[in-house]
Amino acid sequence: MADIKVPYLDLKAQYQSIKPEIDAAIARVLDSCQFVLGAEVASFEKDFASYCGAAECIALNSGTSALHLALLAAGIGPGDEVITVPFTFVASVAAVIYGGARPVLVDIDPRSFTMDPALIEAAITPRTKAILPVHLYGQTADMDPILQIARRHNLLVIEDAAQAHGAKYEGRRAGSIGDMACFSFYPGKNLGAYGEGGAVTTSNPDYARTIRMLRDWGQDRKYHHLLRGYNYRMEGFQGAVLGVKLRHLDRWSEARRSIAQKYNMLLANCEVETPTEMPWAYHVYHVYTLRADDRDSLNSALSAEGIQTGIHYPMPVHLQPAYRDLSYGPGAFPHSEKAASQVLSLPLFPEMTDAQINAVMRVVRANVHTG
Ligand SMILES: Cc1ncc(COP(=O)(O)O)c(C=O)c1O
């Protein structure tokens, strides 16, 4: 065992660090009894839209719902195609299928782990309606070439920003770059609720109005259902918690970046590949992922020493049993498949102590070749 055990993330430490503010916010919801939507959610929507640099934020019950409703609001459905990547959490692809459209996959750039813009045009057909890049691990995709291709072919761009709260592309925040952006506030995210949560940000008032209706049974007024909608509303408690946490997000992103830099420095002469912050990026390190040839032995060694890790993700979506009918076999996306066999995510959370950082590094360094 290492001298101390290190969890992959520590939500208790974060709660302790902001307890009085959170407890007061929860108490406000209890006092008002606005348990679904309500004033706390509305105030978070306003603050998060302005944080992202978007005109509107529509708060929902998950990031998956955000993707689903963004695609519906764009009018994308049966017979349409949406271009996305196989190296992502399954929701990016699943949400396209929810609305009846077909996901068309393109490989990632092996350095950024995000959509390779050079592969997009070959995947466009007359049925393509949108490009859905995923800002994986807290780093945006290479958005300018993606936006240029979209403009040339009259396609929408929907950002999957579920892992990228506060990330920037050439100074522009995730959430304000494409036509719409979809966020998850799952508890472990950089901006995490105390339950499920998600949101769409957009500066297009028509999309915003449609998504507001769709999240609440398609009502334009009480019991008048203009659209066939869903129950995708955000809960009052989640809005209250997120409103508090948003005020700390930039400080937490900076803490994540400085831990990532320490890791990079301490692993510089080791036979593992550390993450690359691309020239366009302000990376917020939702996930700090190494590449290691013998990932599984390194992972077992860390686990035996009490260091918790993650693998994001061990199998690309096109090889998952549930998505075989997309008809992409092994070998279809070599960079995604190689990444899935090599990636290993180390513990990284803003409250990490130097003792925890050093314990992780000692165990990694003891189990890889150093130059
Ligand atoms: C890239 C990506 N897209 C979409 C989602 C879905 O978000 P949620 O779990 O809130 O539905 C996630 C969440 O894990 C994600 O990481």
Side-chain angles (χ1 to χ4, degrees), residues 198-237:
V200 176
T201 55
T202 182
S203 290
N204 180 312
D206 295 332
Y207 295 147
R209 186 169 166 273
T210 305
I211 294 168
R212 267 181 216 290
M213 279 195 272
L214 286 173
R215 78 171 167 185
D216 192 16
W217 288 113
Q219 300 176 95
D220 60 344
R221 54 188 192 275
K222 205 168 170 65
Y223 302 135
H224 185 261
H225 303 273
L226 194 63
L227 303 173
R228 289 193 196 177
Y230 300 81
N231 176 357
Y232 282 176
R233 300 170 299 227
M234 179 178 275
E235 294 186 347
F237 286 125

Side-chain angles (χ1 to χ4, degrees), residues 281-338:
Y282 177 81
H283 196 321
V284 291
Y285 293 96
H286 172 55
V287 174
Y288 181 95
T289 284
L290 297 175
R291 279 182 190 262
D293 286 331
D294 197 357
R295 185 265 315 277
D296 294 335
S297 347
L298 178 57
N299 197 20
S300 307
L302 285 161
S303 159
E305 296 281 344
I307 311 289
Q308 267 183 10
T309 55
I311 296 178
H312 304 95
Y313 296 91
M315 189 188 279
V317 180
H318 68 288
L319 300 181
Q320 295 286 351
Y323 296 96
R324 291 243 168 87
D325 62 349
L326 294 179
S327 304
Y328 298 106
F333 304 108
H335 292 308
S336 296
E337 289 166 39
K338 187 163 185 205

Side-chain angles (χ1 to χ4, degrees), residues 134-216:
V134 180
H135 302 328
L136 202 74
Y137 299 156
Q139 171 158 259
T140 64
D142 189 4
M143 293 304 287
D144 278 341
I146 294 175
L147 292 167
Q148 279 157 20
I149 294 165
R151 237 172 267 134
R152 263 204 305 280
H153 295 270
N154 199 21
L155 307 175
L156 292 176
V157 175
I158 300 173
E159 301 168 63
D160 183 338
Q163 303 188 3
H165 319 76
K168 290 182 205 164
Y169 178 82
E170 302 286 5
R172 285 126 68 195
R173 276 227 203 264
S176 67
I177 307 168
D179 296 281
M180 285 182 264
C182 303
F183 289 89
S184 164
F185 305 121
Y186 188 74
K189 294 290 197 273
N190 288 18
L191 180 61
Y194 286 178
E196 304 278 356
V200 176
T201 55
T202 182
S203 290
N204 180 312
D206 295 332
Y207 295 147
R209 186 169 166 273
T210 305
I211 294 168
R212 267 181 216 290
M213 279 195 272
L214 286 173
R215 78 171 167 185
D216 192 16

